[in-house]
Amino acid sequence: MISKRFSLNTESITLIVLLVAAALSLIFLNALIATPKALFGQSLASISPKLFPAIVLVILALLCVATLVFFKAEESDEIVEKLTKTQLGRACVFFGIMILYGLTMAPFGFLISTAIATTLISLQMGSRSVIQIASVAIVGPVLLYLAATRLLAVSLPELNTIELFYAHLFSL
């Protein structure tokens, strides 16, 4: 049966949740973004650290709205696939890893918590190459950290010893 009415399927619910999360994040952006630390402080860039997160959140909200409109306009069959127990288990494990990531960010800092989460996600996705997992877990977070703190002047939670190491390494 072909219908043009909007149906609440898994994708639609996910998009609505993302849209609400993006809107709430935009509203409370001042509470979510901390001012940069003195080591990588405001003097490095004249742009506000809230600019890029705000741009990303607006784009996310617009994409959610556009996709919801597309779902309504698209003719669809009412066949809905259910998640298998394996898929549901993998989704729960991924959610648990993201909760662990959020909880370890403050005590361990961005680099260590991101390396742990990336390693766990790589293992969950089936990667067994130690070299590949280690390179993704080490190189990726370091590049993201340097790009965020140096280029975007965004302060990320980090252990002081790691920040001092970067400052000495790059003669900041």
Side-chain angles (χ1 to χ4, degrees), residues 8 13 26 30 60 65-66 78 85 113 138 142:
L8 280 178
I13 293 170
L26 275 170
N30 288 333
L60 177 64
V65 170
E78 293 296 322
K85 288 184 180 181
S113 61
I138 294 169
V142 168

Side-chain angles (χ1 to χ4, degrees), residues 3 9-12 19 23 41 66 77 81 83 85 92 97 108 129 142-143 154 161-162 168 171:
S3 131
N9 54 18
T10 307
E11 291 86 7
S12 300
L19 178 61
D77 294 335
E81 283 188 36
L83 289 175
K85 288 184 180 181
C92 290
I97 292 170
F108 296 152
S129 169
V142 168
L143 292 176
V154 173
T161 54
I162 293 175
H168 177 70
S171 299

Side-chain angles (χ1 to χ4, degrees), residues 81-94 124:
E81 283 188 36
K82 302 250 181 192
L83 289 175
T84 64
K85 288 184 180 181
T86 305
Q87 292 171 328
L88 186 60
R90 288 175 61 106
C92 290
V93 168
F94 180 74
Q124 182 196 15

Side-chain angles (χ1 to χ4, degrees), residues 61-163:
L62 292 175
L63 287 174
C64 288
V65 170
T67 307
L68 284 169
V69 169
F70 176 73
F71 279 171
K72 181 166 175 48
E74 178 184 89
E75 293 183 1
S76 64
D77 294 335
E78 293 296 322
I79 299 172
V80 177
E81 283 188 36
K82 302 250 181 192
L83 289 175
T84 64
K85 288 184 180 181
T86 305
Q87 292 171 328
L88 186 60
R90 288 175 61 106
C92 290
V93 168
F94 180 74
F95 184 73
I97 292 170
M98 291 294 98
I99 295 292
L100 176 72
Y101 179 59
L103 292 174
T104 59
M105 183 73 74
F108 296 152
F110 175 80
L111 286 175
I112 296 172
S113 61
T114 304
I116 291 169
T118 305
T119 302
L120 292 174
I121 290 170
S122 296
L123 290 171
Q124 182 196 15
M125 297 299 288
S127 178
R128 298 293 178 252
S129 169
V130 175
I131 295 169
Q132 180 185 15
I133 292 171
S135 63
V136 168
I138 294 169
V139 173
V142 168
L143 292 176
L144 281 172
Y145 181 81
L146 291 175
T149 56
R150 299 292 297 151
L151 298 176
L152 303 178
V154 173
S155 179
L156 295 174
E158 199 53 73
L159 299 173
N160 288 335
T161 54
I162 293 175
E163 284 185 345

Side-chain angles (χ1 to χ4, degrees), residues 16-32 57 61:
I16 291 169
V17 168
L18 283 174
L19 178 61
V20 169
L24 288 173
S25 297
L26 275 170
I27 292 169
F28 297 108
L29 194 59
N30 288 333
L32 296 174
L57 289 169

